[in-house]
Amino acid sequence: GEDVEQSLFLSVREGDSSVINCTYTDSSSTYLYWYKQEPGAGLQLLTYIFSNMDMKQDQRLTVLLNKKDKHLSLRIADTQTGDSAIYFCADERDYKLSFGAGTTVTVRA
Amino acid sequence: NAGVTQTPKFQVLKTGQSMTLQCAQDMNHNSMYWYRQDPGMGLRLIYYSASEGTTDKGEVPNGYNVSRLNKREFSLRLESAAPSQTSVYFCASSESEVLQFFGPGTRLTVL
């Protein structure tokens, strides 16, 4: 959706960290999400963050939320070839998700 | 526990044909959703059903109808398919606003 924006492509070397950025416009969102889509597959929920949190860490994933700037990021530590996929951020309004266009992450050896 | 299932996986239609996309979930979720995914546009909400017996329009409802047949099933119907409806369609379900579980998708081509 046009209210959630992401860069379209990211190329990262195997073993490096990936950072995917997202901006959103609706300050009333309660939750913000990151989904992963592998080729030919559906969307898999990676992680989410409640809007009153600044950071959430889950193994190799770190989500940072800057509510003032309406900026959300996903950091993947020690990026592996299996992390190659499209990553979508989404915000939630009234139980409905609004998605960004997706960031295609390519992991190179 | 299969989660969210969709049928068919692939479909090719001619302009003007009709078809119904099926979706079922076995997680006893109240809410179900239909999205379409187009290149460079992310997912856009077509219709949703907050509970059995209710349906509401999403962002792009034109050309579609839905039926919440029971708590498990939520179908999407194209009465007269158009090439602009060529897309990948995803069904999702949730119990709360926190989590939406997605099906594997239906790839539809309209010639």
Side-chain angles (χ1 to χ4, degrees), chain A residues 1 31 33 35 37 40-43 45 48 88 92 95-97 99-101, chain B residues 33 35 37 40-43 45 48 90 96-100 102-104 107:
Chain A
Y31 293 94
Y33 304 81
Y35 281 86
Q37 184 181 34
L43 273 72
L45 178 67
Y48 63 94
F88 294 93
E92 171 270 325
Y95 296 83
K96 299 186 290 290
L97 296 180
F99 287 85
Chain B
Y33 310 80
Y35 294 88
Q37 182 181 24
M41 300 189 73
L43 277 76
L45 182 65
Y48 67 101
F90 288 100
S96 71
E97 69 270 20
V98 176
L99 296 172
Q100 284 193 14
F102 283 79
R107 295 181 182 275

Side-chain angles (χ1 to χ4, degrees), chain B residues 13-19 63-65 77-85 110:
Chain B
L13 293 177
K14 294 181 180 176
T15 297
Q17 286 185 315
S18 62
M19 80 158 294
Y64 304 95
N65 285 302
R77 182 158 178 85
L78 287 72
E79 289 291 351
S80 179
S84 61
Q85 293 178 304
V110 183

